[in-house]
Amino acid sequence: MTIQPSRLSDPAVRAFVYAVNSHDLEGFMSLLAPGATMCDDGSDRDLAEWTDREIFSSHGHLEVDNESDGGRTVLARYRNDTWGEMRTKWVFTVEDDGRISRFETGQA
């Protein structure tokens, strides 16, 4: 059962899902702390290059099925024009100022 983005517990994660699903690159980048990092399937990636390729230029979309860790870990169906749909896990590190300093994703 899908959790509507507006019902996600963590405000930063909620904003992240909204930015991805509305293809709002400027909004997405404003959610990230300076020097933010990310990891895909266990390997650190260049955040700007990865998000362009895997989210924004390929029309990425997240449908969250489950959340834990206060909303900072989500299980979601992720789809984009490159890979189709897959079950994924996303783990977010959110700083005191509410910005995301790291996210890790991969197949669940």
Side-chain angles (χ1 to χ4, degrees):
M1 175 138 186
T2 302
I3 300 172
Q4 293 301 316
S6 62
R7 308 221 24 165
L8 293 170
S9 301
D10 187 276
V13 174
R14 183 182 325 126
F16 182 97
V17 172
Y18 274 124
V20 168
N21 291 352
S22 63
H23 310 292
D24 178 4
L25 176 59
E26 187 175 315
F28 178 90
M29 295 308 288
S30 75
L31 299 171
L32 302 177
T37 60
M38 63 88 49
C39 172
D40 181 20
D41 282 328
S43 298
D44 278 11
R45 308 282 186 197
D46 178 276
L47 190 144
E49 187 271 330
W50 187 92
T51 54
D52 176 62
R53 185 183 71 244
E54 299 291 339
I55 297 175
F56 294 101
S57 66
S58 61
H59 307 102
H61 189 86
L62 275 164
E63 289 187 37
V64 177
D65 294 324
N66 186 293
E67 65 175 2
S68 58
D69 187 30
R72 293 191 175 171
T73 298
V74 299
L75 291 176
R77 283 168 287 139
Y78 183 74
R79 69 178 179 272
N80 66 24
D81 292 347
T82 304
W83 305 107
E85 185 174 293
M86 64 190 84
R87 189 160 168 75
T88 56
K89 178 179 180 179
W90 299 72
V91 179
F92 297 88
T93 303
V94 180
E95 298 305 310
D96 291 341
D97 68 359
R99 292 194 288 176
I100 296 167
S101 60
R102 182 171 177 83
F103 66 91
E104 300 180 14
T105 186
Q107 293 197 50

